[in-house]
Structure formats: structure tokens, C-alpha cells
Amino acid sequence: MLLRYRSLQKRRPHRRQYPCARLNRKALLFATCSVLTALFLPHITQRNTYYGYRMRKRRLQPTAELNNTGATGADIIAFPFASRIIVSEVSRLIYCPIPKAANSNWKYLIRKFEGLPDYADLTKAHNVNVSGLRYLSDYSANEISQLIRDPSFFKFIFVRNPYSRIVSCYMDKFRNTDPVYVTTEYRLFLAQLFHWHYARKVDIYRDPRPSFETFVDELLKQAPIAMNAHWMPQTTHCGIGIMPYDFVGRMENLAKDARFVLDRLGKFEECFPSQQEIGFPPSGASKKMEDELYTIDLRFKVRAIYDDDFQMLGYK
């Protein structure tokens, strides 16, 4: 047996006889890991920091405990959502507008409270450069820390069931046939859903619109932080779980919750404006439309895309 073993060793040399090959493999593996680390570590670090805050706040009662995040001004100003949060020193409010969750109505009101003569101009209201409003990112980290801890400032947000919010977004951005919208904005939203190479080739007047299934499938390919604001997860868009909100209103209880916020702000005589009053027609989304568009498979996909919204905001 010993002679046979030695004979096999001569015919099949052990790898240790080729140290150079082994070293080359290790060097190649090390170099590959170094390149991947250099490429993705900054993104992973930022992502883990962001999700680390949110994971600590999973499954909370949203209106009761989301104001105890422990975040500082330095934490908040590091995230993109700081540039979306409106601050009104006149009305002592801090509000993060979420598209498809009555954000046009609130911007209309806040600009009115600010005394802006063109407060009804929603085109200006939605443009941060000409809205006449201040945003949290306009303040320093120390100032933000003081603002979020100042009890005289009321910090609120309005959210919506992800299933109905995404249908509203789809109807508004991809089924809207208003000539002005089609000419000025439709191609832009196509590019943000797909990419510019595709959007440039589309005949916006004749080509068929994307189906709801295609819309959802494209959302599955996008990172939440890189999504367009209209379909970005609400938790990502407004830093829910990081930004300490005092109150989370719901579109499903809009009249009651809006009244509570207005009373809390001391606007007892003010009424929450309807879509017709602000000149912003509804998207056409409805429970019936949801039932027509959703299949079981699409519901599973939307549930996966907006998992944080469902869990943190208590939707089913």
C-alpha cells in the first residue's frame, strides 16, 4: 500500500509543488475584492446607515412613537429627504410633502399661511426654487437639532396605502391624456420609469401607454433611493423612522386628520381645500380601478417593493 501511494504521488504531484500558481490565485482574489469594495462600500455604508435607523423603528404605531428616533440635525441633513421637508417659521410647522397624498393641498395652504400673493399657483408651489418656502436643508445641522426639539414646531406628514397610492400615480402619470401634460411632462416620466434612450424614441401621441403590469415590473428594477418622488416609498421620501414626526395623518382619514392638524396649528377658521378648490383634478384612481388593475401577482410585487411602507405605517 505504501509503495502504491508513493507511486500515485509521483504521477499526481501535490499542489504544494506549484506555489506560484497558488499565490497568483490569492492575488487575483484579493485584487477582485479590493475593486468591488472600492466600488460598492460607500453605497453600502450609506444604505446601512439609512436602513439602520429605520429597522429600529419597524412595526411601531406611526402616530405615537415616530417622534422618538434619536436622530440629530447632523444625521438628518446627511439625507436627501432634508431638502424636501418644508419649514414655516410663521406657522411653526415642519411638513414633508408626499406626492399622491394631498401634498398639493398642504402646499397651497402653507403658502397661503406664509402670505404669498400667488399661493394658489401650484406650478410655483411644486418648484422648490420659486416656491417661496424654506426647507430643512436650508438650515445648519445645529439649527435643525434646535428645530426638531422645539415643542412650538409641529412636525407632521400625510401618508397613503401603497396599493392605492401607486394606482393613483400610474393613472396620473401614465394614463393622463391632457394635451398640456402629454406635451410637457409625459416623456420625462417615461424616461424616469425606463430610461432616456427609450423615452427619446417613443411617439408620445401615438404609441401605446405602458400597462400597469409593466409599470410595476419597472419599479422592481429600481432602487428606492433613486426612484422618482411620485413612486418613491414614503418611508424613503420623508425619512420616516429618522425624522421625528409628531403626527402621521392618513389619506384614508383625510378630513378628520387635516382638521386635527389645522386646529393644532391654531387655524381654527381655516378649511382644508378640496381638489377642485386648488384647481388640481383627481387622478381618476378609485377602489374599482384598483380591483381592475391588480392581480394577485401584482399585489405581491407591490407588497415587496413597498415593504417598509407597509410595515412601518401599518398598512395591509
Side-chain angles (χ1 to χ4, degrees):
M1 291 294 292
L2 182 60
L3 290 174
R4 184 181 177 190
Y5 175 76
R6 287 177 176 172
S7 175
L8 287 171
Q9 284 292 88
K10 289 179 182 179
R11 282 180 286 173
R12 294 185 298 177
H14 195 272
R15 286 182 179 177
R16 282 181 296 183
Q17 295 181 14
Y18 301 93
C20 293
R22 192 172 186 183
L23 286 173
N24 287 341
R25 284 194 296 273
K26 284 187 175 181
L28 179 62
L29 179 61
F30 178 78
T32 303
C33 290
S34 299
V35 171
L36 291 174
T37 300
L39 287 173
F40 297 108
L41 184 59
H43 170 72
I44 292 170
T45 302
Q46 184 180 16
R47 180 183 176 90
N48 286 345
T49 302
Y50 180 63
Y51 283 100
Y53 276 108
R54 292 196 297 172
M55 288 299 291
R56 292 201 296 269
K57 288 298 174 184
R58 278 186 179 275
R59 303 181 186 280
L60 296 178
Q61 294 298 319
T63 58
E65 299 182 31
L66 282 182
N67 61 342
N68 297 316
T69 66
T72 65
D75 297 326
I76 291 168
I77 203 170
F79 291 102
F81 65 77
S83 63
R84 306 181 188 113
I85 298 177
I86 296 170
V87 179
S88 171
E89 296 185 17
V90 174
S91 300
R92 313 298 285 179
L93 67 83
I94 297 175
Y95 163 70
C96 185
I98 293 179
K100 318 313 299 178
N103 86 112
S104 296
N105 311 62
W106 281 113
K107 287 179 180 177
Y108 173 99
L109 275 179
I110 294 170
R111 295 182 80 242
K112 181 180 179 181
F113 299 158
E114 290 288 297
L116 296 172
D118 58 353
Y119 68 87
D121 187 338
L122 291 182
T123 301
K124 286 188 176 181
H126 291 306
N127 186 333
V128 296
N129 297 314
V130 297
S131 67
L133 300 173
R134 293 195 71 183
Y135 296 83
L136 207 56
S137 57
D138 295 330
Y139 296 83
S140 69
N142 288 335
E143 289 172 331
I144 293 173
S145 293
Q146 293 173 11
L147 282 171
I148 63 178
R149 287 169 175 74
D150 188 337
S152 69
F153 275 87
F154 185 59
K155 305 177 292 295
F156 70 98
I157 190 173
F158 272 74
V159 299
R160 186 174 184 175
N161 188 309
Y163 285 129
S164 59
R165 177 172 176 255
I166 291 311
V167 169
S168 177
C169 173
Y170 171 72
M171 295 296 294
D172 184 35
K173 302 306 177 188
F174 298 100
R175 292 280 286 271
N176 190 339
T177 57
D178 177 71
V180 176
Y181 168 77
V182 173
T183 303
T184 59
E185 295 187 61
Y186 177 55
R187 194 184 302 278
L188 173 64
F189 283 101
L190 276 178
Q192 294 182 346
L193 180 63
F194 298 98
H195 45 76
W196 271 111
H197 180 71
Y198 169 83
R200 286 192 189 99
K201 297 179 179 180
V202 170
D203 185 331
I204 57 176
Y205 300 103
R206 297 181 182 178
D207 286 352
R209 299 295 184 91
S211 67
F212 185 64
E213 181 178 8
T214 299
F215 174 63
V216 172
D217 285 342
E218 289 301 315
L219 297 187
L220 277 168
K221 302 174 186 177
Q222 299 183 1
I225 199 70
M227 287 182 174
N228 176 277
H230 290 82
W231 54 80
M232 181 183 287
Q234 297 163 96
T235 45
T236 304
H237 184 78
C238 286
I240 298 174
I242 302 174
M243 179 67 189
Y245 294 104
D246 299 316
F247 180 76
V248 179
R250 296 177 182 270
M251 279 290 289
E252 295 77 19
N253 303 315
L254 181 59
K256 179 182 177 182
D257 288 352
R259 184 69 265 161
F260 171 81
V261 171
L262 289 171
D263 289 347
R264 174 63 178 75
L265 295 173
K267 308 294 183 181
F268 303 106
E269 304 300 322
E270 193 70 51
C271 294
F272 191 73
S274 66
Q275 295 297 105
Q276 289 73 23
E277 287 178 281
I278 66 172
F280 197 87
S283 65
S286 62
K287 185 63 171 68
K288 181 181 178 182
M289 182 62 66
E290 285 184 42
D291 293 339
E292 291 176 3
L293 292 176
Y294 276 113
T295 62
I296 294 176
D297 183 54
L298 287 177
R299 284 192 177 274
F300 274 118
K301 288 178 179 179
V302 170
R303 182 65 175 78
I305 296 167
Y306 297 97
D307 182 59
D308 283 332
D309 284 3
F310 280 104
Q311 293 206 49
M312 294 186 70
L313 302 175
Y315 285 111
K316 297 180 180 179

